Amino acid sequence: MATTLVFQNKAIPVYMSEQNKKAMRKLESILNRKWETGKQALKQCLATLISIEIVGSEATLHALTEHHTLTISLY
């Protein structure tokens, strides 16, 4: 199932196996917090973010280059 998330004025597709509103709210809050306080590698990933895949309690942030792709924990 795919949905979209607006982050930094960009619509980012979010893919997950089932609709989970709690995970989406948590993801949104984590991304905003990491954008403000995250380390340089995470900020670089967020700046070039093209899609997000949620599997269980982890979100994989896919960036333009595979080198910048990261996985973060939601819980």
Side-chain angles (χ1 to χ4, degrees):
M1 169 177 278
T3 186
T4 57
L5 170 74
V6 177
F7 179 70
Q8 298 298 314
N9 296 323
K10 295 189 303 187
I12 308 294
V14 179
Y15 302 98
M16 61 182 96
S17 58
E18 58 188 49
Q19 184 68 16
N20 188 344
K21 291 184 181 186
K22 183 178 176 184
M24 287 296 293
R25 284 190 298 259
K26 189 74 172 168
L27 175 65
E28 211 171 331
S29 116
I30 289 172
L31 290 179
N32 287 321
R33 186 169 12 110
K34 295 295 185 182
W35 181 254
E36 295 174 8
T37 63
K39 297 200 182 236
Q40 187 63 30
L42 184 60
K43 286 183 178 183
Q44 201 166 24
C45 174
L46 294 176
T48 60
L49 194 60
I50 57 172
S51 70
I52 301 170
E53 180 183 2
I54 298 176
V55 178
S57 64
E58 294 185 335
T60 302
L61 310 175
H62 297 280
L64 285 174
T65 61
E66 187 176 328
H67 178 66
H68 295 138
T69 298
L70 297 172
T71 300
I72 60 173
S73 176
L74 295 177
Y75 302 102

